[in-house]
Structures are given as structure tokens and as C-alpha cells.
Amino acid sequence: MSNFQKILEEIGDFGLFQKRLVAALCIPSIFVAFDVICQVFTGLNFPHHCNTDWILKRGPNLTEERQRNLTLPVYKDGKYESCRMFTPVDLDLETIEAYGINTTTGCRDGWDYEAPIGASSIVTEFSLVCDRSSLIEASQSIYMAGLLVGAFVLGQMADRFGRRFVVLLSHFLLLLFGVGAGFSPNIYVYMVLKFFGGIAISGIVANAFVIGGEWSASSKFAFCTIICHSFFPLGLIMLSGIAYFIRNWRILQFVLFSPLLPVLGIFYWVLPESARWLITQGRKKEAIKEVRRAAKVNGRKVPEELLDKMEVEETSKRGNMLDIFKIPYLRKRALIMSYVWFGTSLMYYGLSLNVGNFGLDIFLTQFIFGLVELPARLGTLPLIQRFGRKICQAVFLFFGGAACLGILAIPNDLPVVVTVVAVLGKFAATASFSVVYVYTAELYPTTLRQNGVGLNSMFARVAGILAPLIRLLDVYHHTIPMLIYGIVPISAAGFCSFLPETLNVELQDHPELTDPEIVTAIESLTAEEKSGKSTKM
């Protein structure tokens, strides 16, 4: 047992201090949900067609329907074309009505949108339709690129400058860029602000739950992680309701992210630094101060002789991401977990960002998606405690991928059935995400934990970048996106068999040169041999 583990037992390894801390760390997950999924609503597309007010100069008393009949071509199903119009001509209204117009052109004077009164989105304000519609997927991919950069940069910053600093910085950046996005004058400024918002989200996602876990007993790490992340679906449910009543995308941005201001103030005063991290950095005095603070809240007193014996690491021996690849067993874990994160993220975002394509009301579907995530996240805790991390990770990946493939077998005229299967897939994808955070953090030692989580989550962000772009492949065949969303996680499930189980294994503080699994096996065999000799004697 490590020295710090003994200290935790003395001050209470899950007392009032830890419970209060975990409760506070649940709040960021709500804002993470707002930022990750809000473009589903801020990027709402509405029925539209070319603006053809040019003909009103010839016939100012034309009805709207008559104006469309004269100026817009129709599809084979009788609906007006969205991106084409009849070429404006210099003829009087009687001639146009008698002979019509035979040539078409793209929309010259913008578009008219059939949006509810007061409703607007980045699509309507920035004209992201027709040949500009791909900018919606591009903005989502750029946002995911921000998550990728954040996972790389802020993961290393957390191991170097501390978890508390990065969590506070990330909240400040999310407040700044979340509210700032509502002032965007064009799509390009919006993309830049969303990119930096994505960086902030990575800092929160990868670090907030770790503070709670590192202040608790190893057996409580999974509990702290899953409880913190269980507020993400609560954020999704809240987002659906808020977006339903606030249809103006700019006001929606302000309402969603302005509450971060008081949250940031509260966190500044109540959020502690990880004492476990301080010890590994050789900052013994600061670690003792934090330990005494925790002991006071828990109503306990830690023996001074135990604090004096606290093991510290020389400040010069700080881990970095490259150190993971210098140690064979950590390198193996990093490579496999990177693909597991990639598969989990591709499946999750493939389903989440397609919420408007399943045939039902987008607000209702997103509400159901949020609702199903609650049992998915909370239900994983007893499962991973009973069956272990490895088996649960593989099973959730397999069933999530199978659901994506199953959607392809359902006819388009059965939207309810498609939505039900998609919800089951979302359940598995969410459960996989819950397990992967716990599993990954337990696979790395404290000195490299945030580098490891950051490295693996980078691949999740790569998948997040690709997920909206993969949707564009449906122009070649409508089955291609879902095939990719399904096959990748199923293959990732197979790779889980090469990972060790971490259930009831104490967290490592420092990396070992030899795989702990091998050491444990050797010790077990040695013990059995000794036991056998003793029996013979």
C-alpha cells in the first residue's frame, strides 16, 4: 500500500470532503453537454428556397404561391427546388405567365426560410445551404479539432501545472468563447470561437473527474468518474428543453454559457489541488496543507509522523507523453486504448450528430437520447464492479456497433423503429464512453495519468472530426456512413482482449519498468511453489 493511500485511510478515503468535491465536479458535465451538442440546435436547417422578389417589380400584387409557381422549378415529387430558380428575365408579367421561363440558375439574391416566427440559426443567418451547406459539417469538425488540440495541450499542462489550474482555465475559456460565439458576425468567426471552445471542453473533460478520483480510495475511482459524467445526460435533457423554448441561436448561446461566471467563482474558492499529484511533483508542503484541509472537513486528524514520512518525487522527474512509449507495457496499453477511444467516439458522434435524420421531431429525439444516457452511465457502475472493466468495454463497443449496422436493415418508412435502434446504439455508445474514462485512468500511473488520458482522448477527437465528414459520403451510397460507424467499434471490441483488468487494483503512482501483470503472475507462482513445498514437508 502506498504512503498516500495510508494517509487517505486516516483522513477518510470517501468522507464529506470527497463527497462535496464530487458533487461540485458534476456541474461542469452539464456545460460540456451544452457545448458538444448545442450545434444540433444552433445549426438547425429549415425548409428554404431562392429569394425571387425580382418578379414583384412586374407584379407587386402576386400571391406568395403564385410567385413561387412562376419563379421556382419543381422536383419530380412536386416540391419546389431549394437551390435553383428560373433565370430573371426583362419581360412583363403577362408574357411570363403566358410562356413561362425555360432556363434556371442558382439563387442570386439569397434564400427565403420557412422558419417559425423569432427562430433563427447559423444556417439562416450565414446562408449555410446549397453549395455552402458543407460548412455546417466543417464547423463541427473544426470544433472537434479544438477538442483534439485541447486533449494534447491541456493533458500535458495538467501533469505539469496541476489539475486545479487547468480546470479553472478551461472554465474561463469556455465562458469566454461560449458567450463570444453568440456575437459571431459570420461563419468563419463562429468556427474560430468554437475551435477554442473545444480546447476548453477537453480541459474540463479530461481533468475534472480526475481530481475527485485522486482524492478518493482506488475502489472509489470508478464511482467518482461515473457520477461526474452522469450529469452529461442531464445537460442534454436540459439543452433539449431550453432550445425548444429559445429558438434564436444567439440568445441560446448566451443563456447556455453565462451561468459559467458564478460557477467559475465558486470553483476558484472551493476546488482543491490533487494532493496525490502534488506529492509526485515533490511539493510536499502544499500536499500536507491540502491533506489537513481535507481532514478538517472530514472531522479527522492525520498523524504527524505519517505526514513526515510522505514520499515525494524529485521535481525534475516530471513525466511527459513520450515517456509512455518508452515503457513497453504502457506503450501497448496506449496504442490499444487509442483505438478503443477512436471507435467509441466515432460511434457516439455518428449517432448523436445524425439525430435529425431519424425521422422524428429533433427536440423529442434529443430529449430521448439524453434520457437514455442516464441509465447508460449510472448502470455501468455496478456492471464494471461485478464483471470488470475489460469485458464491459468490449461488450458495449460490440453492441453499439451492431446497432449502427442494424439501422441499415430498417426501411426508411419506419422512423419509429429506426429511432428505437438508434437509441439502443446511443445507450451502448454512452456506456462505452463511461467505462473508457474509468479504464484509461486506471491503466496509467499518477505521474503519466493525464498524459495518457490526453493521448487516448486525442484519438477520440480525431474520430469526432471525422464523424461529421463521414456523413458526406452518403452522396456515393446512403449505407456508407453507418457501415463505418458500426464496423470500427466492433473491431475495437476485439482489441480489448489484449488489455489487463484493473478491477480492485490499486492505482499506480509511478511507472514500473516491468509489466505489473507479469510481476503479479510471478509472485503468485512463487507463492504457490512455496505453499506446495510447505505441504510436502
Side-chain angles (χ1 to χ4, degrees):
M1 182 183 293
S2 69
N3 187 261
F4 184 73
Q5 198 66 33
K6 294 177 183 176
I7 293 173
L8 270 182
E9 288 187 356
E10 289 292 333
I11 67 173
D13 56 14
F14 202 69
L16 178 61
F17 175 82
Q18 286 88 350
K19 291 172 183 175
R20 190 178 69 178
L21 177 60
V22 171
L25 292 172
C26 289
I27 298 173
S29 292
I30 296 175
F31 294 97
V32 170
F34 288 171
D35 200 54
V36 171
I37 304 296
C38 73
Q39 190 167 306
V40 168
F41 299 109
T42 59
L44 272 179
N45 201 352
F46 299 100
H48 57 85
H49 57 80
C50 297
N51 181 326
T52 58
D53 288 349
W54 65 270
I55 201 170
L56 296 180
K57 295 178 181 178
R58 280 79 170 171
N61 296 321
L62 282 173
T63 64
E64 187 174 326
E65 184 61 28
R66 186 60 179 155
Q67 178 184 344
R68 291 182 184 181
N69 286 335
L70 292 174
T71 58
L72 297 175
V74 296
Y75 293 114
K76 292 180 179 179
D77 60 4
K79 294 181 180 179
Y80 294 110
E81 287 197 26
S82 300
C83 300
R84 304 290 295 178
M85 59 185 283
F86 288 124
T87 307
V89 292
D90 192 17
L91 299 172
D92 56 59
L93 184 60
E94 289 75 15
T95 304
I96 294 174
E97 287 181 322
Y99 300 101
I101 304 172
N102 296 321
T103 59
T104 62
T105 183
C107 300
R108 295 184 176 183
D109 301 310
W111 292 263
D112 289 329
Y113 298 91
E114 298 174 24
I117 298 174
S120 69
S121 69
I122 59 172
V123 173
T124 61
E125 287 210 18
F126 304 144
S127 299
L128 304 183
V129 293
C130 301
D131 58 345
R132 286 170 56 86
S133 61
S134 60
L135 289 175
I136 302 172
E137 280 75 22
S139 67
Q140 192 67 51
S141 292
I142 288 171
Y143 171 73
M144 293 296 177
L147 292 175
L148 170 63
V149 173
F152 178 75
V153 175
L154 296 180
Q156 295 196 72
M157 284 181 65
D159 275 339
R160 186 167 182 81
F161 300 109
R163 283 61 161 136
R164 181 180 185 272
F165 170 77
V166 170
V167 169
L168 292 177
L169 174 64
S170 299
H171 278 81
F172 173 74
L173 293 176
L174 184 58
L175 169 65
L176 184 66
F177 297 114
V179 173
F183 292 100
S184 301
N186 55 58
I187 185 59
Y188 303 106
V189 173
Y190 175 83
M191 287 180 178
V192 170
L193 294 174
K194 288 294 289 182
F195 173 82
F196 285 106
I199 292 177
I201 287 296
S202 271
I204 296 172
V205 168
N207 294 287
F209 77 95
V210 170
I211 296 179
E214 291 184 345
W215 266 109
S216 307
S218 298
S219 61
K220 297 292 184 181
F221 195 96
F223 175 81
C224 296
T225 303
I226 289 175
I227 291 298
C228 287
H229 287 168
S230 292
F231 275 66
F232 184 91
L234 179 61
L236 294 181
I237 294 170
M238 292 171 61
L239 175 61
S240 301
I242 295 169
Y244 180 81
F245 291 104
I246 302 176
R247 299 297 182 95
N248 183 297
W249 77 274
R250 293 185 187 273
I251 298 175
L252 181 61
Q253 286 284 144
F254 303 149
V255 170
L256 291 178
F257 298 104
S258 295
L260 274 169
L261 187 59
V263 170
L264 185 61
I266 293 170
F267 270 34
Y268 181 81
W269 291 107
V270 305
L271 195 65
E273 183 53 271
S274 167
R276 192 187 291 268
W277 175 82
L278 288 169
I279 292 169
T280 64
Q281 302 303 300
R283 294 160 64 174
K284 184 175 178 180
K285 288 184 179 180
E286 295 172 64
I288 290 174
K289 181 180 177 182
E290 295 289 359
V291 167
R292 285 175 174 160
R293 176 185 172 189
K296 183 179 179 181
V297 174
N298 285 343
R300 308 281 279 274
K301 189 174 181 181
V302 59
E304 290 298 321
E305 61 271 16
L306 197 56
L307 292 176
D308 292 336
K309 294 178 183 178
M310 188 180 288
E311 301 167 0
V312 298
E313 179 79 3
E314 292 296 323
T315 56
S316 60
K317 294 182 68 178
R318 290 190 174 112
N320 60 62
M321 203 171 281
L322 293 177
D323 290 338
I324 294 172
F325 293 94
K326 294 176 183 177
I327 303 171
Y329 79 92
L330 287 181
R331 180 170 63 242
K332 172 187 169 184
R333 295 179 184 183
L335 292 174
I336 294 174
M337 288 308 294
S338 293
Y339 188 65
V340 169
W341 276 76
F342 182 87
T344 298
S345 181
L346 192 71
M347 169 175 59
Y348 183 88
Y349 289 113
L351 290 168
S352 298
L353 299 179
N354 272 296
V355 67
N357 298 329
F358 295 134
L360 295 182
D361 177 74
I362 189 170
F363 297 97
L364 175 61
T365 307
Q366 187 58 58
F367 176 82
I368 294 171
F369 270 20
L371 205 60
V372 79
E373 283 205 18
L374 271 173
R377 290 184 184 272
L378 293 173
T380 54
L381 183 58
L383 289 175
I384 64 175
Q385 296 295 75
R386 173 67 178 84
F387 300 104
R389 282 66 162 146
K390 181 165 72 172
I391 292 176
C392 290
Q393 186 73 74
V395 169
F396 290 138
L397 280 166
F398 178 82
F399 279 106
C404 291
L405 297 180
I407 289 173
L408 298 176
I410 303 170
N412 292 332
D413 58 353
L414 296 174
V416 174
V417 179
V418 172
T419 303
V420 169
V421 176
V423 165
L424 293 175
K426 185 72 182 297
F427 181 96
T430 301
S432 180
F433 246 134
S434 292
V435 177
V436 80
Y437 273 102
V438 176
Y439 200 11
T440 306
E442 291 178 345
L443 284 170
Y444 296 105
T446 300
T447 53
L448 293 171
R449 183 164 296 123
Q450 288 315 100
N451 279 298
V453 174
L455 170 67
N456 295 148
S457 64
M458 281 170 58
F459 284 85
R461 308 317 162 204
V462 171
I465 293 170
L466 295 176
L469 299 180
I470 288 172
R471 291 165 58 190
L472 299 176
L473 296 176
D474 65 357
V475 298
Y476 300 105
H477 199 280
H478 72 279
T479 62
I480 294 177
M482 276 298 167
L483 277 174
I484 297 173
Y485 296 148
I487 292 172
V488 172
I490 289 175
S491 62
F495 283 106
C496 290
S497 60
F498 298 103
L499 292 169
E501 181 54 69
T502 59
L503 177 62
N504 296 326
V505 177
E506 185 180 338
L507 293 179
Q508 282 182 273
D509 281 332
H510 307 288
E512 300 174 11
L513 295 178
T514 307
D515 191 337
E517 275 191 295
I518 298 174
V519 174
T520 303
I522 292 173
E523 290 176 349
S524 177
L525 287 171
T526 304
E528 288 178 7
E529 287 176 4
K530 288 181 179 179
S531 175
K533 288 179 181 178
S534 300
T535 305
K536 290 176 182 178
M537 290 176 66

